Amino acid sequence: MLTYIKYGSGPTVWLAFHGIGQNAHCFEPLAHQLTYTHTIYSIELPHHGRSALKQNQPTNWPAILTNAYWHGLVTLFLATHSINRFSVIGFSMGGRFALVTAEHFAAQIDGLLLLAPDGVTQDPWFRLATSTVAGRILLRFFLNHTRWLLKIGHGFVRIGLLSASQLRFAEVTMQTPAQREQIYRSWTSFRTLKTTMRTFAIAMTTHQVQVRLFLGQYDTVLPRRHMQPLEIALPTCQVLIIPTGHNSLVRRVAALLGT
């Protein structure tokens, strides 16, 4: 069921997970830099790219994507492609998938690269919009009436509850009806796909998995303060701060790894 793009043919295997509103092409900058040393399976998240369609028809993703369901999908993917050892990379929302994948398959993981990952802390807006029936009804309403949503967003910017760049990120990711439907399906479906930093850190430490955390110095979408639970739970995590914002992080990390 997982759709993907395969880049390169090198001996080091990576499973890569892109951000919300993106597709498997997100990791092309990495592929260009590492094509001879790595084989990168850039996997499309549910409700994204070709994973949103099957023979031009919507796929039947479950309403709630559980850890157990995801574990089964990845297990099948690894068996299909005869993958035993691999590393994982995840950007933004893909970081949530990378964290869960790394924990469940820790015994097979060589390394984990997290690029401004979602899933380290529970964003209050995400929790408010997805954790209750009332919240999901409100989410659907505001996605159908974005004028009201953006008006409220500008009010939050004025009083300091939201940054201007966070609002711009929201505007870009919900410009069209298709994008708004994708956000609704993704947010509500992914809400239980998560781990705690304590159990994650135990798995990484037990299996001696190298974890690297790449953050944008000017990233206000997923800034460093959101990563504190990970840094506290896993002191061995290597943190690299890159002078960039959120949207350019993959490209900048690719340039760094390619040097």
Side-chain angles (χ1 to χ4, degrees):
M1 186 179 290
L2 293 175
T3 59
Y4 65 94
I5 296 176
K6 181 180 177 182
Y7 294 107
S9 57
T12 301
V13 176
W14 281 4
L15 301 190
F17 304 102
H18 60 78
I20 196 165
Q22 299 180 319
N23 56 41
H25 292 285
C26 166
F27 291 102
E28 281 184 355
L30 276 170
H32 292 322
Q33 295 287 352
L34 305 174
T35 187
Y36 298 112
T37 55
H38 291 63
T39 298
I40 302 174
Y41 293 92
S42 184
I43 296 173
E44 289 175 319
L45 303 188
H47 312 299
H48 288 72
R50 290 168 298 156
S51 81
L53 295 171
K54 188 175 183 180
Q55 296 180 345
N56 296 321
Q57 297 296 321
T59 54
N60 295 318
W61 290 106
I64 299 177
L65 194 75
T66 64
N67 285 21
Y69 184 87
W70 181 249
H71 180 271
L73 286 180
V74 176
T75 298
L76 178 60
F77 185 87
L78 296 176
T80 300
H81 296 279
S82 301
I83 299 170
N84 182 37
R85 302 292 307 181
F86 62 101
S87 293
V88 178
I89 180 169
F91 168 60
S92 198
M93 180 64 83
R96 178 179 293 261
F97 287 79
L99 287 164
V100 172
T101 301
E103 180 179 326
H104 279 265
F105 296 91
Q108 297 173 252
I109 298 290
D110 293 318
L112 173 63
L113 290 79
L114 298 169
L115 282 58
D118 178 52
V120 174
T121 57
Q122 181 68 284
D123 182 86
W125 302 112
F126 183 86
R127 183 172 63 248
L128 177 66
T130 63
S131 61
T132 66
V133 172
R136 293 190 288 276
I137 291 172
L138 279 174
L139 175 62
R140 172 63 81 182
F141 173 82
F142 282 121
L143 288 174
N144 288 337
H145 301 83
T146 53
R147 180 172 61 89
W148 287 101
L149 180 62
L150 296 177
K151 186 175 182 179
I152 293 171
H154 284 291
F156 283 165
V157 170
R158 285 194 296 271
I159 63 177
L161 291 179
L162 196 69
S163 72
S165 56
Q166 285 175 314
L167 182 60
R168 285 195 298 272
F169 179 80
E171 289 176 320
V172 168
T173 56
M174 60 177 65
Q175 289 180 324
T176 69
Q179 286 178 304
R180 294 192 287 273
E181 181 64 22
Q182 184 181 68
I183 288 174
Y184 181 82
R185 290 182 180 274
S186 299
W187 275 33
T188 56
S189 176
F190 303 164
R191 66 183 186 271
T192 65
L193 189 77
K194 57 187 176 182
T195 182
T196 68
M197 288 303 99
R198 181 177 180 274
T199 57
F200 169 78
I202 290 172
M204 297 301 98
T205 301
T206 300
H207 295 282
Q208 299 181 341
V209 178
Q210 181 191 39
V211 179
R212 286 183 283 175
L213 178 62
F214 297 85
L215 302 173
Q217 184 178 353
Y218 311 114
D219 188 348
T220 61
V221 177
L222 285 164
R224 185 170 187 176
R225 67 177 180 275
H226 287 198
M227 308 301 152
Q228 287 182 351
L230 171 58
E231 293 188 58
I232 292 171
L234 190 65
T236 57
C237 175
Q238 182 183 1
V239 182
L240 295 95
I241 308 297
I242 299 174
T244 189
H246 189 74
N247 293 334
S248 301
L249 190 57
V250 173
R251 178 173 53 81
R252 295 297 298 273
V253 170
L256 180 66
L257 295 179
T259 57

